[in-house]
Amino acid sequence: MSEVIVVTSGKGGVGKTTSSASIAMGLARRGHKVVVIDFDVGLRNLDLIMGCERRVVYDFVNVINGEASLRQALIKDKRQENLSILAASQTRDKDALTQEGVERVLNELRADFDYIVCDSPAGIEKGAHLAMYFADRAVVVVNPEVSSVRDSDRVLGLLASKTRRVEQGEGKIQEHLLLTRYNPKRVADGDMMSLKDVEEILGIQVLGVIPESEEVLQSSNSGNPVILDLDSPAGQAYDDAVARLLGESRPLRFLEVGKKGLFQRLFGG
Amino acid sequence: MSASLEAACDLRIGQVGVGTLKLQRFDLAAIKAEMTTKVQTAPQLLRRAPVIVDLNTFSDLPDVAAVGELLDTLREAGVLPVGLTYGSSAVEALSVELGLPLFSRFRANYEPASPAAQPEPAKTTAAAAADPAPASAPPAQRSESAAPAAGFRLSLHEGHVRSGQQIYARGQDLTILGNVGPGAEVIADGNIHIYGSLRGRALAGAGGEQRARVFCREFRAELVAVAGNYRVLDDAPVELHGKALQVRLDGERLLFDPLS
């Protein structure tokens, strides 16, 4: 039984693609067959984060238009052979996606993969709508700031009304909240909204809290999903989040301001 | 989404909120000043908002020219008069001459006031959802309502009302089991009960019922209104924040009472 997971947010720049890449990689590393699809037609980024930008020959729009087969368009990850990437088209726009086309491609993928991760574009227009429409689950990425929280609230509303599961009366889709760019120090200083604030406003619990960290940018630039860097707090936090997505129960980490140990203080670590 | 599956237009009746402007005295300068202030206080709600003009206070109706001037005055103040409220046959004749429609929704308000109407400020009623929803916003949802034979209806929404969602309970109370998010809007012709936090807008008594109230467990609203008397809570007193309270109307003033 395969599942379609949409990673969405409403607002741009909150970490959807970073999260899609790490969630897909995390699920694959746990032995599942995973494909991650870039729905951001015209602003293709996922291939960069996954480090396969030079291997894109055919893309999602080619498959929808019947110009290429799925097999031709899917890019196998070099690090994790049970993970595939379906890149977006950079030369087209969101109108190239059609509901029928997306549905056909997803159905074809369902036959071969356990998890289909859909990296949604920002906004709530056609691209984002189609990314969420066929989802069984949603990961809503939110930053601890008011505009992102409001946009997420809007997206949660759309997920509860504008998805096929809901329209066909098959029940709600499962909603998860992923709080990214969390900086415990700034929260303690009162500059940033706290986890509690965000959970209260949105009325759902988080799947994970990803601390703001330098490794995220480095990983993105080098084409390695940050979840592969298990020495970094962000990588560990994504790993926890993926475990929770699969039903494991793990305590939240990285919520407190890091206290430096005696040796670190002595030697300036 | 294939466009061919969708109808080219969608006719709905009685679902949008329109303000009514009940005139107490026919003093154009005063009306202009009062309305200009109102529009400036809540430009997002009121600028270019449609209003229906209620002339039923006057036993001697102003003539067509005077009403024409009144409509111009209102436009200058920033709102858009779209019609007259239903009333006497003279009002009907006036509406025909002006080429304006008559609206007959708020009949309860039509009792003629005493000829020497007190110099109360003009008031807008039922300014529900006066700002047009953005094109991408979902259409106002009718909350689930059951109308069994007895004519008894109830309206209950289970779950959070998210930003951009709009729920209207027509001719009844509305109960929300969840939060009303920032930018969400809940409207009822009767009372509104929110068993959660109110961070968006709640408009009770949208049809003009002045006894309607808003109740909520955690008050953090952007705007509340009862029978069109609204308050934007930009300047909400700190002591109201996060409290369980009820909002009710006393004359034209909204009162905020804690629920102990």
Side-chain angles (χ1 to χ4, degrees), chain A:
Chain A
M1 181 58 199
S2 65
E3 273 197 312
V4 177
I5 303 176
V6 61
V7 179
T8 183
S9 72
K11 195 171 183 310
V14 295
K16 282 181 296 296
T17 301
T18 305
S19 298
S20 300
S22 278
I23 289 170
M25 180 62 81
L27 290 169
R29 282 165 65 90
R30 283 177 163 71
H32 301 287
K33 284 202 75 181
V34 182
V35 57
V36 56
I37 309 177
D38 192 348
F39 271 76
D40 205 347
V41 177
L43 292 168
R44 170 173 112 193
N45 282 158
L46 181 70
D47 53 324
L48 291 170
I49 311 290
M50 297 297 297
C52 63
E53 68 275 13
R54 291 180 208 290
R55 297 168 60 208
V56 178
V57 182
Y58 294 108
D59 57 49
F60 192 17
V61 172
N62 292 139
V63 179
I64 285 179
N65 292 345
E67 295 150 6
S69 70
L70 253 182
R71 225 155 55 128
Q72 289 173 301
L74 286 175
I75 305 165
K76 258 200 166 65
D77 190 85
K78 282 186 169 164
R79 297 152 292 207
Q80 196 68 40
E81 65 158 30
N82 51 341
L83 171 62
S84 298
I85 297 120
L86 184 53
S89 173
Q90 182 70 348
T91 53
R92 307 293 293 271
D93 62 33
K94 311 277 186 289
D95 290 332
L97 298 176
T98 60
Q99 184 154 324
E100 297 73 27
V102 171
E103 182 170 22
R104 186 170 48 77
V105 174
L106 289 180
N107 283 342
E108 232 176 294
L109 290 171
R110 275 181 192 269
D112 289 335
F113 292 92
D114 302 325
Y115 291 99
I116 301 163
V117 178
C118 302
D119 179 22
S120 170
I124 51 175
E125 285 76 31
K126 192 173 185 185
H129 169 75
L130 289 177
M132 72 170 66
Y133 188 71
F134 297 101
D136 302 305
R137 289 205 208 188
V139 174
V140 177
V141 181
V142 60
N143 286 171
E145 47 119 354
V146 285
S147 54
S148 174
V149 170
R150 172 180 292 191
D151 290 359
S152 299
D153 197 46
R154 178 88 164 94
V155 163
L156 285 164
L158 295 176
L159 287 167
S161 58
K162 304 273 169 176
T163 54
R164 190 180 57 172
R165 279 183 84 95
V166 175
E167 285 183 4
Q168 300 194 345
E170 292 166 20
K172 288 181 114 177
I173 77 169
Q174 225 180 318
E175 300 162 346
H176 305 279
L177 196 64
L178 187 63
L179 185 56
T180 58
R181 300 220 165 131
Y182 196 72
N183 186 329
K185 184 175 181 307
R186 297 187 65 191
V187 172
D189 292 346
D191 295 342
M192 198 177 253
M193 293 172 83
S194 71
L195 166 64
K196 189 166 157 279
D197 293 339
V198 176
E199 282 188 330
E200 255 178 35
I201 295 177
L202 294 177
I204 54 176
Q205 291 199 322
V206 296
L207 174 73
V209 178
I210 312 299
E212 189 170 47
S213 79
E214 290 169 15
E215 290 88 352
V216 175
L217 184 62
Q218 289 160 6
S219 300
S220 296
N221 286 341
S222 65
N224 289 304
V226 69
I227 198 168
L228 293 172
D229 182 0
L230 284 175
D231 294 331
S232 73
Q236 293 173 39
Y238 271 118
D239 193 59
D240 286 353
V242 170
R244 291 188 202 105
L245 199 60
L246 294 170
E248 249 182 75
S249 136
R250 289 194 183 183
L252 288 172
R253 295 192 275 171
F254 315 112
L255 297 181
E256 306 297 329
V257 181
K259 292 193 180 61
K260 287 188 172 180
L262 177 63
F263 283 97
Q264 280 177 306
R265 261 187 286 170
L266 282 177
F267 301 110

Side-chain angles (χ1 to χ4, degrees), chain B residues 2 6 28 30 35 41 59 91 108 113 128 137 155 158 171 178-179 181 188 195 199 205 207 221 252:
Chain B
S2 66
E6 291 175 18
L28 293 183
M35 287 307 292
T41 330
S59 40
V91 174
S155 172
E158 280 189 81
N179 300 339
Y195 292 91
R199 293 168 196 271
E252 293 192 345

